[in-house]
Amino acid sequence: MTAIESFTGDANPYGGGDPYADYRTADFPFTRFADLADRRLGAAVVAANDEFFAQRENLLVPGPAEFDPEHFGHKGKVMDGWETRRRRGASADHPWPTAEDHDWALVRLGAPGVVRGIVVDTAHFRGNYPQAVSVEGASVPGSPSAGELLGDHVKWTTLVPRTPVGGHAANGFSVSVEQRFTHLRVNQHPDGGIARLRVHGEVVPDPEWLTALGTFDVVALENGGRAEDASNLFYSPAGNTIQPGRSRKMDDGWETRRRRDRGNDWIRYRLAAQARIRALEIDTAYLKGNSAGWASVSVKDGESGEWTEILPRTRLQPDTNHRFVLPAPALGTHARVDIYPDGGISRLRLFGSLTEAGTAALTARHQELGG
């Protein structure tokens, strides 16, 4: 199940210099989907059976794991990940853990959805990584406690069967279960450490909640919007523009390389469902010397629809949130922002409400996926 079989097994002991020099990784196609376990969406590791050496919360920290070879604490080497103690058998005659022994962590997804792929990253865990991992998913409404998630009534579905993994490597697993999940259970067999967990997939929002809201951001990632494609992703991903909240630093938005031609850059989005857009925001927060000079926004209804401009090419100011009220509601399922000539924006917000057809399509998908 690992994308690269050669990842399986030990990594070399750390020999000094760049700790990532011998890190094993690959390009996984599913990483084009959003990370449903992103802390910015509200994801959390709500419980773990053991975190003796390193805390469970490290699993969802953004960015790659760090390694300081000189950093030791009262319990041993300080690691940037989740690490459990070594398991032991029942007696001197049987000092080894059983085949069933394992450690676990419960993860609440920031946005419920369909999981397309999972990365179990064991960066810097060279001789103390798990022999194998497995991942299960569950769909539990509301805000269940750890105790409720561990109850016998919760149905867990296998997303990644027990599979060998490698140390100091990005172990990637494609997932083909067409079901909406709210929580994951990550198991490491029999013990060890995992640096980071990434859960890539498609957000599937609750249509009842969106209907109750009435008017909301129909392109927001947490509401089911998605950045489908972009002209350039040199400095940062296009999906940043539909993350929750305001950008907090320059790389928390979308920025392209400098153009040396007469073209322009763009992002294409899929909305939560068919909607009528009434207002929009384009934010250039923290983009001071590199914000887009101008921007326009267009929408289309359906895959084969024609693009209609709803905001003509408009001058943008650096580090500024720009707000626009449309003269008439704009109907669409997709949107596109064009920036001129290059640069970046931090956020795009499209405020509107679902049409009857949009609500019906979203409800049907929600039910089909077991929501």
Side-chain angles (χ1 to χ4, degrees):
M1 290 293 293
T2 47
I4 308 295
E5 291 184 4
S6 61
F7 283 9
T8 304
D10 291 337
N12 293 324
Y14 175 63
D18 179 7
Y20 274 105
D22 59 342
Y23 175 68
R24 295 173 288 180
T25 187
D27 292 326
F28 303 113
F30 55 74
T31 58
R32 65 187 178 89
F33 294 101
D35 181 7
L36 304 182
D38 193 323
R39 282 289 294 166
R40 290 175 293 180
L41 290 171
V45 186
V46 297
N49 72 306
D50 185 282
E51 47 185 333
F52 185 86
F53 286 112
Q55 293 74 29
R56 65 182 190 258
E57 288 86 358
N58 290 333
L59 282 173
L60 305 187
V61 170
E66 299 180 355
F67 180 72
D68 181 352
E70 304 299 328
H71 194 187
F72 287 82
H74 294 295
K75 293 183 178 180
K77 181 72 185 71
V78 176
M79 296 295 290
D80 185 9
W82 168 50
E83 185 180 4
T84 65
R85 73 191 76 200
R86 299 188 188 214
R87 282 184 170 270
R88 296 292 185 247
S91 67
D93 292 332
H94 298 280
W96 309 279
T98 70
E100 292 74 31
D101 284 345
H102 67 279
D103 293 318
W104 53 263
L106 296 178
V107 177
R108 181 188 68 231
L109 298 179
V114 179
V115 179
R116 299 301 182 193
I118 296 172
V119 176
V120 177
D121 189 346
T122 58
H124 315 305
F125 288 95
R126 296 169 177 267
N128 50 348
Y129 60 93
Q131 181 184 28
V133 300
S134 61
V135 183
E136 301 160 281
S139 183
V140 184
S143 303
S145 67
E148 290 169 329
L149 290 170
L150 294 171
D152 294 337
H153 65 285
V154 175
K155 177 186 176 183
W156 291 94
T157 300
T158 299
L159 304 184
V160 178
R162 182 170 175 167
T163 308
V165 293
H168 196 46
N171 300 275
F173 306 90
S174 295
V175 178
S176 58
V177 180
E178 289 293 322
Q179 188 175 333
R180 179 182 185 265
F181 295 104
T182 61
H183 295 78
L184 299 187
R185 183 163 62 189
V186 181
N187 306 302
Q188 47 179 341
H189 308 266
D191 54 37
I194 299 171
R196 296 289 188 268
L197 176 73
R198 304 297 185 229
V199 184
H200 297 279
E202 300 175 58
V203 176
V204 180
D206 182 351
E208 184 178 356
W209 173 253
L210 295 184
T211 300
L213 292 179
T215 297
F216 60 93
D217 182 1
V218 298
V219 76
L221 177 60
E222 59 188 327
N223 294 331
R226 187 171 72 190
E228 289 192 317
D229 199 6
S231 59
N232 187 274
L233 302 172
F234 188 83
Y235 285 112
S236 44
N240 280 353
T241 59
I242 54 175
Q243 286 282 357
R246 300 290 301 277
S247 174
R248 294 172 295 175
K249 50 194 176 74
M250 189 174 71
D251 67 348
D252 195 18
W254 170 63
E255 182 188 357
T256 70
R257 72 173 75 211
R258 300 189 187 206
R259 276 189 171 268
R260 303 305 185 196
D261 58 22
R262 307 294 289 181
N264 74 285
D265 289 313
W266 52 267
I267 306 175
R268 187 180 72 243
Y269 304 90
R270 178 185 293 273
L271 308 184
Q274 188 189 62
R276 288 187 175 87
I277 302 166
R278 299 180 177 85
L280 61 92
E281 291 182 358
I282 300 176
D283 196 351
T284 59
Y286 293 96
L287 296 164
K288 297 182 178 181
N290 50 356
S291 71
W294 292 261
S296 63
V297 178
S298 303
V299 299
K300 71 174 182 176
D301 188 29
E303 294 287 350
S304 59
E306 296 291 329
W307 289 105
T308 300
E309 191 174 71
I310 62 173
L311 179 72
R313 193 179 305 186
T314 302
R315 187 76 169 95
L316 299 182
Q317 299 299 324
D319 195 29
T320 301
N321 191 28
H322 309 76
R323 291 178 170 175
F324 307 94
V325 176
L326 302 183
L331 180 70
T333 57
H334 296 72
R336 173 177 166 135
V337 59
D338 285 85
I339 63 170
Y340 301 87
D342 56 21
I345 62 173
S346 62
R347 296 290 188 268
L348 174 71
R349 305 296 188 207
L350 302 177
F351 298 103
S353 54
L354 299 182
T355 63
E356 289 186 7
T359 299
L362 202 59
T363 300
R365 177 165 170 74
H366 189 262
Q367 293 174 345
E368 176 187 340
L369 297 171

